[in-house]
Amino acid sequence: MSILLLGGLLFVHLDSFIPALLGAYTLYILLGGWVKKMEAKWKMSRIIAIVIVMLGSFLMFLLPMYFVGQVLFHSHTLALDQYSSFFKAVKGFVEQIEVKYQVNLLDEKSLDKVFSWLTQSASKLINGAVNGITGIFLSYLILYFMLRERELLDKTLIKIFPLNQENSEQLLGEVNKLVFSNAIGIPVIGIVQGVTGLLIYLILGVPNAILWFLVTCIVSMIPILGSALAYIPVSILLFANHENVRGMIMLLYGFFVIGSVDNIFRIWLQNKLGDTHPLITLFGVIVGVQLWGFTGLIFGPILFSLFLLLSTYYGREFQGKEENKPSSLK
């Protein structure tokens, strides 16, 4: 009981550091193999290998993320203004239909509530992206000790699982595969769709094309709805500005090209890295964004998948013990 109380107390007061811990473990999975390779093949000391790998990852991944965070920070108000203009355009279009056909399609209060909810969610997401940059540095501090003591870390994780040795080792392997596939797959899908969207934004001369590119990258990480949360508002804004041809091109391109890229690339990536059901990703994103903002786009699905994976292994462990239990009835 005292262990649970102390653990709960620590968890409550350190919950803000959970994204940093998850980020550190994710980087540990992605970079640990390189450190091993540099030690084994190139005969480097562990400390030097860790420093090289961490600096390399910082230059390749984190500096671009820093600049993205800066753009989002400075474009925060602009992004909300763009979506405000989108909702005004939708509202005006609905009012025209209602007047023309004498029907009541949408309650004004309901539309205002939807806009308010989306504005708050977008604000939380963007603020989380900026605040997440601070957590990155803490993640790297934790990562250093994880890489330096990797044998101890692996043994400790196996001991933590209340399973037998075989199931614990299998579970750890599945967890590592899960973290790797989500950490690589989710951002890559977002970037591919963002680049695909940027091409048409530039061709059509969409205002603030770079901002819409970043928005497309972020919303594309959300399954089912995904990039439609970007290209539909863009097309409606074009229609509202009486640019009907460009608006129709944007809508058709988004539906047939950006949407197809998502489906085709997601299937290919799942075959390469591992299959994660879209509903698991969706619910994971919902939970993750509520907990941690932007970083929840990646860590939410990981936690949700991890919960299902743990449940599966616990069930296997319990079922195995029940089958091996001697029967009392003779």
Side-chain angles (χ1 to χ4, degrees), residues 83 117-118 121 125 186-187 189-190 193 215-230 262 266 278-279 281-286 289 294 296-298 301:
Y83 273 96
W117 177 78
L118 285 176
S121 299
L125 194 63
I186 294 176
I189 289 173
Q193 287 193 268
V215 170
T216 305
C217 289
I218 293 174
V219 299
S220 295
M221 298 182 193
I222 305 173
I224 301 176
L225 298 176
S227 56
L229 295 174
D262 176 35
R266 192 182 294 271
L279 286 179
T281 306
L282 176 62
F283 292 132
V285 165
I286 293 173
V289 170
F294 178 76
L297 288 173
I298 297 175

PDB file of all heavy atoms in Angstrom, residues 83 117-118 121 125 186-187 189-190 193 215-230 262 266 278-279 281-286 289 294 296-298 301:
ATOM      1  N   TYR A  83      -8.628  30.270 -39.643  1.00  0.00           N
ATOM      2  CA  TYR A  83      -9.768  29.407 -39.351  1.00  0.00           C
ATOM      3  C   TYR A  83     -11.005  30.218 -38.999  1.00  0.00           C
ATOM      4  O   TYR A  83     -12.130  29.798 -39.251  1.00  0.00           O
ATOM      5  CB  TYR A  83      -9.413  28.430 -38.217  1.00  0.00           C
ATOM      6  CG  TYR A  83      -8.759  27.169 -38.723  1.00  0.00           C
ATOM      7  CD1 TYR A  83      -7.384  27.032 -38.740  1.00  0.00           C
ATOM      8  CD2 TYR A  83      -9.521  26.115 -39.214  1.00  0.00           C
ATOM      9  CE1 TYR A  83      -6.769  25.886 -39.227  1.00  0.00           C
ATOM     10  CE2 TYR A  83      -8.931  24.962 -39.701  1.00  0.00           C
ATOM     11  CZ  TYR A  83      -7.551  24.851 -39.706  1.00  0.00           C
ATOM     12  OH  TYR A  83      -6.969  23.716 -40.205  1.00  0.00           O
ATOM     13  N   TRP A 117     -14.770  25.563 -29.859  1.00  0.00           N
ATOM     14  CA  TRP A 117     -14.069  24.332 -29.480  1.00  0.00           C
ATOM     15  C   TRP A 117     -12.837  24.116 -30.350  1.00  0.00           C
ATOM     16  O   TRP A 117     -11.751  23.778 -29.847  1.00  0.00           O
ATOM     17  CB  TRP A 117     -15.007  23.134 -29.610  1.00  0.00           C
ATOM     18  CG  TRP A 117     -14.326  21.821 -29.308  1.00  0.00           C
ATOM     19  CD1 TRP A 117     -14.029  21.296 -28.094  1.00  0.00           C
ATOM     20  CD2 TRP A 117     -13.839  20.877 -30.276  1.00  0.00           C
ATOM     21  NE1 TRP A 117     -13.388  20.089 -28.236  1.00  0.00           N
ATOM     22  CE2 TRP A 117     -13.262  19.812 -29.552  1.00  0.00           C
ATOM     23  CE3 TRP A 117     -13.845  20.839 -31.667  1.00  0.00           C
ATOM     24  CZ2 TRP A 117     -12.698  18.713 -30.194  1.00  0.00           C
ATOM     25  CZ3 TRP A 117     -13.277  19.746 -32.305  1.00  0.00           C
ATOM     26  CH2 TRP A 117     -12.707  18.697 -31.567  1.00  0.00           C
ATOM     27  N   LEU A 118     -12.980  24.320 -31.663  1.00  0.00           N
ATOM     28  CA  LEU A 118     -11.848  24.131 -32.558  1.00  0.00           C
ATOM     29  C   LEU A 118     -10.759  25.166 -32.314  1.00  0.00           C
ATOM     30  O   LEU A 118      -9.574  24.865 -32.395  1.00  0.00           O
ATOM     31  CB  LEU A 118     -12.317  24.200 -34.017  1.00  0.00           C
ATOM     32  CG  LEU A 118     -13.072  22.971 -34.534  1.00  0.00           C
ATOM     33  CD1 LEU A 118     -13.548  23.211 -35.951  1.00  0.00           C
ATOM     34  CD2 LEU A 118     -12.216  21.725 -34.461  1.00  0.00           C
ATOM     35  N   SER A 121      -8.919  24.074 -29.218  1.00  0.00           N
ATOM     36  CA  SER A 121      -8.094  22.903 -29.505  1.00  0.00           C
ATOM     37  C   SER A 121      -6.860  23.282 -30.315  1.00  0.00           C
ATOM     38  O   SER A 121      -5.751  22.818 -30.033  1.00  0.00           O
ATOM     39  CB  SER A 121      -8.915  21.857 -30.273  1.00  0.00           C
ATOM     40  OG  SER A 121     -10.021  21.432 -29.503  1.00  0.00           O
ATOM     41  N   LEU A 125      -3.011  22.997 -29.170  1.00  0.00           N
ATOM     42  CA  LEU A 125      -2.080  22.205 -29.967  1.00  0.00           C
ATOM     43  C   LEU A 125      -0.845  23.004 -30.319  1.00  0.00           C
ATOM     44  O   LEU A 125       0.292  22.531 -30.196  1.00  0.00           O
ATOM     45  CB  LEU A 125      -2.783  21.730 -31.239  1.00  0.00           C
ATOM     46  CG  LEU A 125      -2.111  20.620 -32.050  1.00  0.00           C
ATOM     47  CD1 LEU A 125      -2.021  19.347 -31.232  1.00  0.00           C
ATOM     48  CD2 LEU A 125      -2.877  20.375 -33.330  1.00  0.00           C
ATOM     49  N   ILE A 186       4.145   8.020 -37.897  1.00  0.00           N
ATOM     50  CA  ILE A 186       3.192   9.126 -37.768  1.00  0.00           C
ATOM     51  C   ILE A 186       3.763  10.441 -38.299  1.00  0.00           C
ATOM     52  O   ILE A 186       3.119  11.119 -39.111  1.00  0.00           O
ATOM     53  CB  ILE A 186       2.726   9.254 -36.307  1.00  0.00           C
ATOM     54  CG1 ILE A 186       1.902   8.019 -35.907  1.00  0.00           C
ATOM     55  CG2 ILE A 186       1.902  10.519 -36.104  1.00  0.00           C
ATOM     56  CD1 ILE A 186       1.482   7.995 -34.459  1.00  0.00           C
ATOM     57  N   PRO A 187       4.975  10.866 -37.886  1.00  0.00           N
ATOM     58  CA  PRO A 187       5.509  12.115 -38.454  1.00  0.00           C
ATOM     59  C   PRO A 187       5.774  12.040 -39.951  1.00  0.00           C
ATOM     60  O   PRO A 187       5.560  13.022 -40.668  1.00  0.00           O
ATOM     61  CB  PRO A 187       6.814  12.325 -37.674  1.00  0.00           C
ATOM     62  CG  PRO A 187       6.679  11.511 -36.444  1.00  0.00           C
ATOM     63  CD  PRO A 187       5.869  10.323 -36.848  1.00  0.00           C
ATOM     64  N   ILE A 189       4.214  10.302 -42.281  1.00  0.00           N
ATOM     65  CA  ILE A 189       2.943  10.446 -42.997  1.00  0.00           C
ATOM     66  C   ILE A 189       2.517  11.910 -43.039  1.00  0.00           C
ATOM     67  O   ILE A 189       2.070  12.426 -44.071  1.00  0.00           O
ATOM     68  CB  ILE A 189       1.855   9.576 -42.334  1.00  0.00           C
ATOM     69  CG1 ILE A 189       2.126   8.090 -42.605  1.00  0.00           C
ATOM     70  CG2 ILE A 189       0.465   9.954 -42.847  1.00  0.00           C
ATOM     71  CD1 ILE A 189       1.214   7.151 -41.860  1.00  0.00           C
ATOM     72  N   GLY A 190       2.668  12.613 -41.913  1.00  0.00           N
ATOM     73  CA  GLY A 190       2.316  14.027 -41.863  1.00  0.00           C
ATOM     74  C   GLY A 190       3.165  14.866 -42.804  1.00  0.00           C
ATOM     75  O   GLY A 190       2.654  15.744 -43.515  1.00  0.00           O
ATOM     76  N   GLN A 193       2.256  14.198 -46.613  1.00  0.00           N
ATOM     77  CA  GLN A 193       1.026  14.882 -46.998  1.00  0.00           C
ATOM     78  C   GLN A 193       1.201  16.389 -46.996  1.00  0.00           C
ATOM     79  O   GLN A 193       0.624  17.093 -47.834  1.00  0.00           O
ATOM     80  CB  GLN A 193      -0.117  14.486 -46.054  1.00  0.00           C
ATOM     81  CG  GLN A 193      -0.607  13.072 -46.291  1.00  0.00           C
ATOM     82  CD  GLN A 193      -1.926  12.801 -45.585  1.00  0.00           C
ATOM     83  OE1 GLN A 193      -1.943  12.341 -44.456  1.00  0.00           O
ATOM     84  NE2 GLN A 193      -3.013  13.101 -46.245  1.00  0.00           N
ATOM     85  N   VAL A 215       0.260  23.378 -41.055  1.00  0.00           N
ATOM     86  CA  VAL A 215      -1.038  22.917 -40.558  1.00  0.00           C
ATOM     87  C   VAL A 215      -1.362  21.550 -41.154  1.00  0.00           C
ATOM     88  O   VAL A 215      -1.837  20.645 -40.454  1.00  0.00           O
ATOM     89  CB  VAL A 215      -2.147  23.932 -40.893  1.00  0.00           C
ATOM     90  CG1 VAL A 215      -3.528  23.353 -40.593  1.00  0.00           C
ATOM     91  CG2 VAL A 215      -1.946  25.229 -40.115  1.00  0.00           C
ATOM     92  N   THR A 216      -1.094  21.385 -42.453  1.00  0.00           N
ATOM     93  CA  THR A 216      -1.360  20.100 -43.115  1.00  0.00           C
ATOM     94  C   THR A 216      -0.511  18.988 -42.509  1.00  0.00           C
ATOM     95  O   THR A 216      -1.001  17.872 -42.287  1.00  0.00           O
ATOM     96  CB  THR A 216      -1.082  20.202 -44.623  1.00  0.00           C
ATOM     97  OG1 THR A 216      -1.834  21.287 -45.174  1.00  0.00           O
ATOM     98  CG2 THR A 216      -1.469  18.920 -45.335  1.00  0.00           C
ATOM     99  N   CYS A 217       0.765  19.276 -42.236  1.00  0.00           N
ATOM    100  CA  CYS A 217       1.647  18.277 -41.613  1.00  0.00           C
ATOM    101  C   CYS A 217       1.084  17.825 -40.268  1.00  0.00           C
ATOM    102  O   CYS A 217       1.087  16.629 -39.947  1.00  0.00           O
ATOM    103  CB  CYS A 217       3.040  18.852 -41.408  1.00  0.00           C
ATOM    104  SG  CYS A 217       3.992  19.083 -42.931  1.00  0.00           S
ATOM    105  N   ILE A 218       0.583  18.782 -39.481  1.00  0.00           N
ATOM    106  CA  ILE A 218       0.108  18.464 -38.133  1.00  0.00           C
ATOM    107  C   ILE A 218      -1.207  17.694 -38.180  1.00  0.00           C
ATOM    108  O   ILE A 218      -1.351  16.630 -37.574  1.00  0.00           O
ATOM    109  CB  ILE A 218      -0.034  19.748 -37.300  1.00  0.00           C
ATOM    110  CG1 ILE A 218       1.338  20.369 -37.045  1.00  0.00           C
ATOM    111  CG2 ILE A 218      -0.721  19.457 -35.965  1.00  0.00           C
ATOM    112  CD1 ILE A 218       1.292  21.715 -36.365  1.00  0.00           C
ATOM    113  N   VAL A 219      -2.194  18.210 -38.932  1.00  0.00           N
ATOM    114  CA  VAL A 219      -3.514  17.555 -38.936  1.00  0.00           C
ATOM    115  C   VAL A 219      -3.472  16.227 -39.673  1.00  0.00           C
ATOM    116  O   VAL A 219      -4.321  15.364 -39.430  1.00  0.00           O
ATOM    117  CB  VAL A 219      -4.591  18.475 -39.543  1.00  0.00           C
ATOM    118  CG1 VAL A 219      -4.741  19.750 -38.731  1.00  0.00           C
ATOM    119  CG2 VAL A 219      -4.294  18.806 -41.007  1.00  0.00           C
ATOM    120  N   SER A 220      -2.488  16.026 -40.566  1.00  0.00           N
ATOM    121  CA  SER A 220      -2.390  14.753 -41.280  1.00  0.00           C
ATOM    122  C   SER A 220      -2.002  13.613 -40.356  1.00  0.00           C
ATOM    123  O   SER A 220      -2.180  12.438 -40.713  1.00  0.00           O
ATOM    124  CB  SER A 220      -1.365  14.862 -42.426  1.00  0.00           C
ATOM    125  OG  SER A 220      -1.805  15.770 -43.404  1.00  0.00           O
ATOM    126  N   MET A 221      -1.473  13.931 -39.182  1.00  0.00           N
ATOM    127  CA  MET A 221      -1.144  12.889 -38.206  1.00  0.00           C
ATOM    128  C   MET A 221      -2.399  12.308 -37.564  1.00  0.00           C
ATOM    129  O   MET A 221      -2.347  11.259 -36.920  1.00  0.00           O
ATOM    130  CB  MET A 221      -0.230  13.450 -37.120  1.00  0.00           C
ATOM    131  CG  MET A 221       1.109  13.951 -37.634  1.00  0.00           C
ATOM    132  SD  MET A 221       2.163  14.538 -36.279  1.00  0.00           S
ATOM    133  CE  MET A 221       3.443  15.402 -37.189  1.00  0.00           C
ATOM    134  N   ILE A 222      -3.527  13.013 -37.727  1.00  0.00           N
ATOM    135  CA  ILE A 222      -4.788  12.536 -37.172  1.00  0.00           C
ATOM    136  C   ILE A 222      -5.463  11.653 -38.210  1.00  0.00           C
ATOM    137  O   ILE A 222      -5.806  12.129 -39.294  1.00  0.00           O
ATOM    138  CB  ILE A 222      -5.715  13.714 -36.805  1.00  0.00           C
ATOM    139  CG1 ILE A 222      -4.993  14.682 -35.866  1.00  0.00           C
ATOM    140  CG2 ILE A 222      -7.003  13.214 -36.181  1.00  0.00           C
ATOM    141  CD1 ILE A 222      -5.761  15.946 -35.591  1.00  0.00           C
ATOM    142  N   PRO A 223      -5.671  10.365 -37.929  1.00  0.00           N
ATOM    143  CA  PRO A 223      -6.281   9.494 -38.933  1.00  0.00           C
ATOM    144  C   PRO A 223      -7.747   9.831 -39.166  1.00  0.00           C
ATOM    145  O   PRO A 223      -8.377  10.521 -38.378  1.00  0.00           O
ATOM    146  CB  PRO A 223      -6.131   8.091 -38.307  1.00  0.00           C
ATOM    147  CG  PRO A 223      -6.029   8.339 -36.849  1.00  0.00           C
ATOM    148  CD  PRO A 223      -5.366   9.675 -36.685  1.00  0.00           C
ATOM    149  N   ILE A 224      -8.288   9.319 -40.272  1.00  0.00           N
ATOM    150  CA  ILE A 224      -9.677   9.473 -40.716  1.00  0.00           C
ATOM    151  C   ILE A 224      -9.930  10.901 -41.200  1.00  0.00           C
ATOM    152  O   ILE A 224     -10.177  11.125 -42.377  1.00  0.00           O
ATOM    153  CB  ILE A 224     -10.682   9.067 -39.619  1.00  0.00           C
ATOM    154  CG1 ILE A 224     -10.455   7.600 -39.207  1.00  0.00           C
ATOM    155  CG2 ILE A 224     -12.124   9.262 -40.112  1.00  0.00           C
ATOM    156  CD1 ILE A 224     -11.331   7.124 -38.080  1.00  0.00           C
ATOM    157  N   LEU A 225      -9.878  11.908 -40.308  1.00  0.00           N
ATOM    158  CA  LEU A 225     -10.090  13.293 -40.726  1.00  0.00           C
ATOM    159  C   LEU A 225      -8.860  13.812 -41.446  1.00  0.00           C
ATOM    160  O   LEU A 225      -8.916  14.243 -42.583  1.00  0.00           O
ATOM    161  CB  LEU A 225     -10.422  14.167 -39.513  1.00  0.00           C
ATOM    162  CG  LEU A 225     -11.694  13.814 -38.745  1.00  0.00           C
ATOM    163  CD1 LEU A 225     -11.825  14.695 -37.520  1.00  0.00           C
ATOM    164  CD2 LEU A 225     -12.903  13.967 -39.642  1.00  0.00           C
ATOM    165  N   GLY A 226      -7.716  13.787 -40.780  1.00  0.00           N
ATOM    166  CA  GLY A 226      -6.434  14.078 -41.369  1.00  0.00           C
ATOM    167  C   GLY A 226      -6.345  15.377 -42.142  1.00  0.00           C
ATOM    168  O   GLY A 226      -6.791  16.433 -41.697  1.00  0.00           O
ATOM    169  N   SER A 227      -5.771  15.275 -43.357  1.00  0.00           N
ATOM    170  CA  SER A 227      -5.470  16.464 -44.156  1.00  0.00           C
ATOM    171  C   SER A 227      -6.712  17.213 -44.600  1.00  0.00           C
ATOM    172  O   SER A 227      -6.618  18.368 -45.020  1.00  0.00           O
ATOM    173  CB  SER A 227      -4.649  16.057 -45.389  1.00  0.00           C
ATOM    174  OG  SER A 227      -5.337  15.071 -46.146  1.00  0.00           O
ATOM    175  N   ALA A 228      -7.889  16.593 -44.526  1.00  0.00           N
ATOM    176  CA  ALA A 228      -9.130  17.294 -44.879  1.00  0.00           C
ATOM    177  C   ALA A 228      -9.344  18.514 -43.987  1.00  0.00           C
ATOM    178  O   ALA A 228      -9.999  19.477 -44.403  1.00  0.00           O
ATOM    179  CB  ALA A 228     -10.323  16.341 -44.757  1.00  0.00           C
ATOM    180  N   LEU A 229      -8.793  18.478 -42.767  1.00  0.00           N
ATOM    181  CA  LEU A 229      -8.903  19.627 -41.868  1.00  0.00           C
ATOM    182  C   LEU A 229      -8.077  20.806 -42.357  1.00  0.00           C
ATOM    183  O   LEU A 229      -8.194  21.910 -41.812  1.00  0.00           O
ATOM    184  CB  LEU A 229      -8.450  19.231 -40.455  1.00  0.00           C
ATOM    185  CG  LEU A 229      -9.306  18.195 -39.742  1.00  0.00           C
ATOM    186  CD1 LEU A 229      -8.670  17.787 -38.413  1.00  0.00           C
ATOM    187  CD2 LEU A 229     -10.706  18.740 -39.498  1.00  0.00           C
ATOM    188  N   ALA A 230      -7.255  20.584 -43.385  1.00  0.00           N
ATOM    189  CA  ALA A 230      -6.464  21.676 -43.962  1.00  0.00           C
ATOM    190  C   ALA A 230      -6.985  22.070 -45.343  1.00  0.00           C
ATOM    191  O   ALA A 230      -7.274  23.233 -45.596  1.00  0.00           O
ATOM    192  CB  ALA A 230      -4.994  21.278 -44.047  1.00  0.00           C
ATOM    193  N   ASP A 262      -2.172   9.653 -48.684  1.00  0.00           N
ATOM    194  CA  ASP A 262      -2.318   9.178 -47.301  1.00  0.00           C
ATOM    195  C   ASP A 262      -2.587   7.688 -47.285  1.00  0.00           C
ATOM    196  O   ASP A 262      -1.916   6.916 -46.586  1.00  0.00           O
ATOM    197  CB  ASP A 262      -3.440   9.942 -46.608  1.00  0.00           C
ATOM    198  CG  ASP A 262      -3.710   9.429 -45.197  1.00  0.00           C
ATOM    199  OD1 ASP A 262      -2.739   9.033 -44.530  1.00  0.00           O
ATOM    200  OD2 ASP A 262      -4.866   9.424 -44.774  1.00  0.00           O
ATOM    201  N   ARG A 266       0.346   5.202 -46.222  1.00  0.00           N
ATOM    202  CA  ARG A 266       0.104   4.608 -44.900  1.00  0.00           C
ATOM    203  C   ARG A 266       0.152   3.094 -44.978  1.00  0.00           C
ATOM    204  O   ARG A 266       0.716   2.425 -44.104  1.00  0.00           O
ATOM    205  CB  ARG A 266      -1.249   5.079 -44.359  1.00  0.00           C
ATOM    206  CG  ARG A 266      -1.462   4.752 -42.886  1.00  0.00           C
ATOM    207  CD  ARG A 266      -2.849   5.212 -42.444  1.00  0.00           C
ATOM    208  NE  ARG A 266      -2.975   6.655 -42.492  1.00  0.00           N
ATOM    209  CZ  ARG A 266      -2.672   7.464 -41.488  1.00  0.00           C
ATOM    210  NH1 ARG A 266      -2.202   6.962 -40.358  1.00  0.00           N
ATOM    211  NH2 ARG A 266      -2.834   8.767 -41.613  1.00  0.00           N
ATOM    212  N   PRO A 278      -6.054   2.262 -37.543  1.00  0.00           N
ATOM    213  CA  PRO A 278      -6.359   3.702 -37.521  1.00  0.00           C
ATOM    214  C   PRO A 278      -7.170   4.152 -36.314  1.00  0.00           C
ATOM    215  O   PRO A 278      -6.983   5.271 -35.826  1.00  0.00           O
ATOM    216  CB  PRO A 278      -7.156   3.900 -38.825  1.00  0.00           C
ATOM    217  CG  PRO A 278      -6.700   2.796 -39.720  1.00  0.00           C
ATOM    218  CD  PRO A 278      -6.410   1.636 -38.816  1.00  0.00           C
ATOM    219  N   LEU A 279      -8.074   3.297 -35.821  1.00  0.00           N
ATOM    220  CA  LEU A 279      -8.869   3.686 -34.648  1.00  0.00           C
ATOM    221  C   LEU A 279      -7.994   3.812 -33.405  1.00  0.00           C
ATOM    222  O   LEU A 279      -8.232   4.685 -32.559  1.00  0.00           O
ATOM    223  CB  LEU A 279      -9.991   2.670 -34.404  1.00  0.00           C
ATOM    224  CG  LEU A 279     -11.172   2.726 -35.377  1.00  0.00           C
ATOM    225  CD1 LEU A 279     -12.187   1.649 -35.039  1.00  0.00           C
ATOM    226  CD2 LEU A 279     -11.831   4.104 -35.351  1.00  0.00           C
ATOM    227  N   THR A 281      -4.863   4.718 -33.453  1.00  0.00           N
ATOM    228  CA  THR A 281      -4.174   5.998 -33.630  1.00  0.00           C
ATOM    229  C   THR A 281      -5.101   7.163 -33.322  1.00  0.00           C
ATOM    230  O   THR A 281      -4.707   8.136 -32.665  1.00  0.00           O
ATOM    231  CB  THR A 281      -3.641   6.116 -35.066  1.00  0.00           C
ATOM    232  OG1 THR A 281      -2.829   4.974 -35.368  1.00  0.00           O
ATOM    233  CG2 THR A 281      -2.803   7.371 -35.223  1.00  0.00           C
ATOM    234  N   LEU A 282      -6.349   7.080 -33.794  1.00  0.00           N
ATOM    235  CA  LEU A 282      -7.308   8.168 -33.573  1.00  0.00           C
ATOM    236  C   LEU A 282      -7.569   8.391 -32.092  1.00  0.00           C
ATOM    237  O   LEU A 282      -7.449   9.515 -31.586  1.00  0.00           O
ATOM    238  CB  LEU A 282      -8.618   7.855 -34.294  1.00  0.00           C
ATOM    239  CG  LEU A 282      -9.757   8.863 -34.081  1.00  0.00           C
ATOM    240  CD1 LEU A 282      -9.369  10.227 -34.617  1.00  0.00           C
ATOM    241  CD2 LEU A 282     -11.036   8.372 -34.747  1.00  0.00           C
ATOM    242  N   PHE A 283      -7.919   7.319 -31.369  1.00  0.00           N
ATOM    243  CA  PHE A 283      -8.197   7.465 -29.942  1.00  0.00           C
ATOM    244  C   PHE A 283      -6.939   7.872 -29.176  1.00  0.00           C
ATOM    245  O   PHE A 283      -7.006   8.627 -28.205  1.00  0.00           O
ATOM    246  CB  PHE A 283      -8.764   6.158 -29.374  1.00  0.00           C
ATOM    247  CG  PHE A 283     -10.144   5.831 -29.883  1.00  0.00           C
ATOM    248  CD1 PHE A 283     -10.454   4.565 -30.353  1.00  0.00           C
ATOM    249  CD2 PHE A 283     -11.130   6.802 -29.897  1.00  0.00           C
ATOM    250  CE1 PHE A 283     -11.718   4.262 -30.834  1.00  0.00           C
ATOM    251  CE2 PHE A 283     -12.398   6.516 -30.367  1.00  0.00           C
ATOM    252  CZ  PHE A 283     -12.695   5.241 -30.842  1.00  0.00           C
ATOM    253  N   GLY A 284      -5.794   7.357 -29.619  1.00  0.00           N
ATOM    254  CA  GLY A 284      -4.541   7.742 -28.982  1.00  0.00           C
ATOM    255  C   GLY A 284      -4.245   9.218 -29.158  1.00  0.00           C
ATOM    256  O   GLY A 284      -3.791   9.888 -28.224  1.00  0.00           O
ATOM    257  N   VAL A 285      -4.523   9.744 -30.356  1.00  0.00           N
ATOM    258  CA  VAL A 285      -4.317  11.172 -30.609  1.00  0.00           C
ATOM    259  C   VAL A 285      -5.246  12.012 -29.736  1.00  0.00           C
ATOM    260  O   VAL A 285      -4.832  13.024 -29.154  1.00  0.00           O
ATOM    261  CB  VAL A 285      -4.547  11.481 -32.106  1.00  0.00           C
ATOM    262  CG1 VAL A 285      -4.714  12.987 -32.334  1.00  0.00           C
ATOM    263  CG2 VAL A 285      -3.381  10.951 -32.934  1.00  0.00           C
ATOM    264  N   ILE A 286      -6.509  11.592 -29.633  1.00  0.00           N
ATOM    265  CA  ILE A 286      -7.474  12.340 -28.811  1.00  0.00           C
ATOM    266  C   ILE A 286      -7.008  12.417 -27.361  1.00  0.00           C
ATOM    267  O   ILE A 286      -6.990  13.487 -26.744  1.00  0.00           O
ATOM    268  CB  ILE A 286      -8.871  11.688 -28.897  1.00  0.00           C
ATOM    269  CG1 ILE A 286      -9.437  11.839 -30.317  1.00  0.00           C
ATOM    270  CG2 ILE A 286      -9.821  12.309 -27.875  1.00  0.00           C
ATOM    271  CD1 ILE A 286     -10.720  11.080 -30.539  1.00  0.00           C
ATOM    272  N   VAL A 289      -3.424  14.453 -27.115  1.00  0.00           N
ATOM    273  CA  VAL A 289      -3.510  15.910 -27.247  1.00  0.00           C
ATOM    274  C   VAL A 289      -4.115  16.532 -26.001  1.00  0.00           C
ATOM    275  O   VAL A 289      -3.695  17.606 -25.554  1.00  0.00           O
ATOM    276  CB  VAL A 289      -4.325  16.286 -28.504  1.00  0.00           C
ATOM    277  CG1 VAL A 289      -4.651  17.781 -28.533  1.00  0.00           C
ATOM    278  CG2 VAL A 289      -3.554  15.904 -29.761  1.00  0.00           C
ATOM    279  N   PHE A 294       0.780  19.073 -28.401  1.00  0.00           N
ATOM    280  CA  PHE A 294       1.356  18.646 -29.677  1.00  0.00           C
ATOM    281  C   PHE A 294       2.077  17.304 -29.562  1.00  0.00           C
ATOM    282  O   PHE A 294       1.942  16.444 -30.439  1.00  0.00           O
ATOM    283  CB  PHE A 294       2.315  19.724 -30.181  1.00  0.00           C
ATOM    284  CG  PHE A 294       3.001  19.375 -31.466  1.00  0.00           C
ATOM    285  CD1 PHE A 294       2.334  19.443 -32.668  1.00  0.00           C
ATOM    286  CD2 PHE A 294       4.331  18.960 -31.461  1.00  0.00           C
ATOM    287  CE1 PHE A 294       2.970  19.116 -33.857  1.00  0.00           C
ATOM    288  CE2 PHE A 294       4.970  18.635 -32.638  1.00  0.00           C
ATOM    289  CZ  PHE A 294       4.287  18.714 -33.838  1.00  0.00           C
ATOM    290  N   GLY A 296       1.446  14.901 -27.816  1.00  0.00           N
ATOM    291  CA  GLY A 296       0.482  13.814 -27.690  1.00  0.00           C
ATOM    292  C   GLY A 296       0.103  13.188 -29.013  1.00  0.00           C
ATOM    293  O   GLY A 296      -0.427  12.067 -29.042  1.00  0.00           O
ATOM    294  N   LEU A 297       0.372  13.879 -30.149  1.00  0.00           N
ATOM    295  CA  LEU A 297       0.105  13.301 -31.465  1.00  0.00           C
ATOM    296  C   LEU A 297       0.913  12.026 -31.676  1.00  0.00           C
ATOM    297  O   LEU A 297       0.460  11.106 -32.372  1.00  0.00           O
ATOM    298  CB  LEU A 297       0.447  14.314 -32.565  1.00  0.00           C
ATOM    299  CG  LEU A 297      -0.494  15.515 -32.721  1.00  0.00           C
ATOM    300  CD1 LEU A 297       0.077  16.503 -33.720  1.00  0.00           C
ATOM    301  CD2 LEU A 297      -1.880  15.066 -33.152  1.00  0.00           C
ATOM    302  N   ILE A 298       2.094  11.976 -31.093  1.00  0.00           N
ATOM    303  CA  ILE A 298       2.949  10.791 -31.227  1.00  0.00           C
ATOM    304  C   ILE A 298       2.823   9.875 -30.018  1.00  0.00           C
ATOM    305  O   ILE A 298       2.631   8.665 -30.152  1.00  0.00           O
ATOM    306  CB  ILE A 298       4.419  11.213 -31.423  1.00  0.00           C
ATOM    307  CG1 ILE A 298       4.566  12.003 -32.731  1.00  0.00           C
ATOM    308  CG2 ILE A 298       5.344   9.998 -31.437  1.00  0.00           C
ATOM    309  CD1 ILE A 298       5.939  12.566 -32.956  1.00  0.00           C
ATOM    310  N   PRO A 301      -0.890   7.740 -29.295  1.00  0.00           N
ATOM    311  CA  PRO A 301      -1.055   6.416 -29.903  1.00  0.00           C
ATOM    312  C   PRO A 301      -0.117   5.356 -29.326  1.00  0.00           C
ATOM    313  O   PRO A 301      -0.483   4.186 -29.229  1.00  0.00           O
ATOM    314  CB  PRO A 301      -0.729   6.686 -31.387  1.00  0.00           C
ATOM    315  CG  PRO A 301      -1.069   8.116 -31.587  1.00  0.00           C
ATOM    316  CD  PRO A 301      -0.703   8.793 -30.298  1.00  0.00           C
TER     317      PRO A 301
END
